[in-house]
């Protein structure tokens, strides 16, 4: 045990702590807090444009829509307060429930195919190549506008002149009215949007894969684990936060499908593709029932908020096995 001489000249087996009376060094907590407080006005200046944009283009339209959902409004006269009449009408509207069912069908096909395909592409890029050229090629369809993509595929899948049906005839198969039959219209629209978005989704998942340490795979390979076993035991569990984010974003985006339907089927055949966004468009801009359309928007907002919270809770998006 170290021996230390005390102030009285006696020896003691323990050292008594001495108060630190030295002046604080530059950059200590108090000056740092003052500096941070001084940076606050500068930070607010930089945040102001984004805050104004959010208030003008998101917050105010949301509040305005909530107000209009309790009114009878047709652009031809001031809004007339009707209370919950629009919501009572909503619960008894068979077309609304049909549009919600059609939208759910689209979301299931789109999310299922897109997530599996994007996950496979991201894993292949992560394990085989990280070429920037390949990532750029995957992102190209996402850079094309939805309307252009819809027009291209509508022409290619045309029942009479489309190149896809001509190819089917060459191999001895009958032409298929991809957009004209109730059984194929929604799957076709879903696959068209999968083609456009799968590259972007794959890059989001690829970013999550890059956060997984290489040492985990190296240790598993040393123990003799196969690629399939590493995928199920390492990749998927450690990728859960990224997959949760991707699923929330893609589900919300899928519920907002509109332009592909507007360009190709316009809700047909026989309401088979009248998704909820297209139904809102019909009520607002064709029938001028803006109050009722606003009520549908509020209902859709509540559905999406509930789905997002449920996904985040079930997928435990805030937890990571890396912690």
């Amino acid at each position: 045990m170290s021996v230390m001489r005390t102030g009285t000249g006696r020896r003691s087996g323990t050292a008594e702590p001495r108060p630190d009376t030295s002046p604080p060094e530059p950059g200590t907590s108090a000056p740092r807090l003052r500096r941070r407080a001084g940076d606050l006005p500068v930070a607010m200046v930089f945040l102001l444009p984004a805050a104004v944009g959010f208030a003008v283009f998101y917050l105010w339209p949301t509040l305005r829509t909530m107000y209009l959902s309790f009114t009878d409004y047709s652009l031809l006269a001031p809004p007339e307060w009707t209370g919950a009449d629009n919501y009572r009408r909503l619960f008894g509207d068979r077309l609304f429930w049909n549009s919600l069912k059609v939208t759910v069908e689209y979301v299931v096909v789109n999310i299922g195919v897109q997530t599996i395909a994007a996950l496979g592409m991201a894993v292949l890029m992560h394990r085989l190549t990280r070429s920037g050229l390949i990532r750029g090629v995957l992102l190209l369809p996402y850079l094309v506008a939805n309307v252009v993509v819809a027009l291209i595929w509508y022409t290619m899948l045309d029942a009479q002149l489309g190149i896809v049906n001509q190819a089917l005839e060459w191999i001895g198969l009958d032409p298929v009215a991809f957009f004209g039959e109730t059984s194929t219209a929604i799957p076709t629209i879903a696959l068209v949007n999968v083609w456009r978005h799968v590259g972007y989704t794959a890059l989001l998942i690829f970013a999550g894969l890059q956060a997984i340490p290489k040492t985990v795979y190296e240790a598993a390979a040393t123990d003799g684990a196969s690629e399939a076993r590493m995928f199920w035991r390492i990749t998927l569990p450690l990728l859960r936060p990224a997959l949760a984010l991707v699923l929330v974003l893609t589900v919300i985006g899928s519920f907002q499908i509109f332009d592909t339907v507007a360009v190709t089927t316009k809700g047909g055949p026989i309401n088979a593709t009248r998704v909820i966004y297209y139904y809102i468009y019909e009520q607002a801009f064709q029938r001028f029932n803006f109050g009722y359309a606003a009520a549908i928007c509020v209902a859709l907002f509540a559905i999406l908020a509930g789905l997002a919270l449920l996904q985040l809770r079930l997928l435990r998006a805030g937890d990571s096995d890396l912690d």
Side-chain angles (χ1 to χ4, degrees):
M1 181 180 296
S2 62
V3 179
M4 186 174 182
R5 188 176 302 275
T6 61
T8 59
R10 293 178 298 177
R11 293 181 179 271
S12 174
T14 59
E16 297 179 357
R18 298 182 179 180
D20 186 9
T21 59
S22 59
E25 297 180 0
T28 54
S29 58
R32 187 180 296 115
L33 289 176
R34 287 195 297 268
R35 186 163 59 250
R36 289 178 179 175
D39 291 341
L40 181 60
V42 179
M44 295 302 295
V45 170
F46 282 100
L47 290 175
L48 184 61
V52 171
F54 175 81
V56 172
F57 297 106
Y58 289 94
L59 183 59
W60 168 247
T62 301
L63 297 177
R64 176 72 172 171
T65 300
M66 290 181 178
Y67 164 72
L68 290 178
S69 68
F70 294 97
T71 65
D72 181 12
Y73 182 46
S74 62
L75 282 182
L76 302 178
E80 180 181 350
W81 184 266
T82 58
D85 287 352
N86 287 326
Y87 292 98
R88 283 191 287 267
R89 175 185 173 186
L90 191 67
F91 282 105
D93 189 352
R94 295 178 59 186
L95 284 178
F96 165 75
W97 293 109
N98 179 75
S99 66
L100 186 60
K101 178 180 74 69
V102 171
T103 306
V104 171
E105 292 175 359
Y106 166 82
V107 170
V108 170
V109 177
N110 183 48
I111 297 301
V113 176
Q114 184 179 159
T115 304
I116 294 174
L119 181 60
M121 294 165 60
V123 170
L124 288 176
M125 282 194 297
H126 184 253
R127 302 297 288 164
L128 300 179
T129 179
R130 300 190 180 187
S131 170
L133 177 62
I134 294 178
R135 278 178 272 177
V137 171
L138 290 177
L139 197 60
L140 281 178
Y142 183 75
L143 301 178
V144 183
N146 270 337
V147 173
V148 177
V149 171
L151 287 173
I152 292 174
W153 281 100
Y154 186 69
T155 304
M156 292 175 60
L157 297 176
D158 184 80
Q160 298 179 350
L161 304 176
I163 188 173
V164 174
N165 275 301
Q166 290 183 7
L168 292 178
E169 290 181 352
W170 291 339
I171 61 177
L173 299 178
D174 296 330
V176 179
F178 291 97
F179 291 103
E181 297 182 4
T182 56
S183 59
T184 59
I186 278 293
T188 301
I189 293 173
L191 293 178
V192 167
N193 284 282
V194 166
W195 178 84
R196 181 180 183 267
H197 292 90
V198 68
Y200 177 74
T201 306
L203 290 181
L204 291 179
I205 298 175
F206 178 73
L209 289 172
Q210 288 185 310
I212 301 176
K214 294 181 181 179
T215 54
V216 179
Y217 292 104
E218 294 171 356
T222 303
D223 292 338
S226 63
E227 289 289 335
R229 188 173 182 83
M230 285 191 287
F231 174 77
W232 290 107
R233 298 292 185 179
I234 297 176
T235 303
L236 278 184
L238 297 183
L239 197 60
R240 186 180 62 248
L243 281 177
L245 172 65
V246 168
L247 286 174
V248 169
L249 292 177
T250 52
V251 167
I252 293 175
S254 297
F255 265 90
Q256 297 175 356
I257 176 66
F258 170 77
D259 34 22
T260 307
V261 174
V263 170
T264 57
T265 62
K266 295 179 175 57
I270 317 175
N271 297 329
T273 61
R274 180 177 273 110
V275 293
I276 192 166
Y277 252 59
Y278 194 79
Y279 187 52
I280 293 173
Y281 164 77
E282 286 183 331
Q283 290 293 331
F285 298 102
Q286 293 184 1
R287 303 179 185 180
F288 298 102
N289 294 327
F290 283 92
Y292 186 55
I296 301 175
C297 291
V298 174
L300 179 60
F301 175 80
I303 292 172
L304 292 180
L307 283 176
L309 293 175
L310 182 63
Q311 286 179 285
L312 293 175
R313 180 174 293 273
L314 291 179
L315 295 173
R316 294 182 292 126
D319 301 331
S320 175
D321 294 339
L322 288 172
D323 298 335

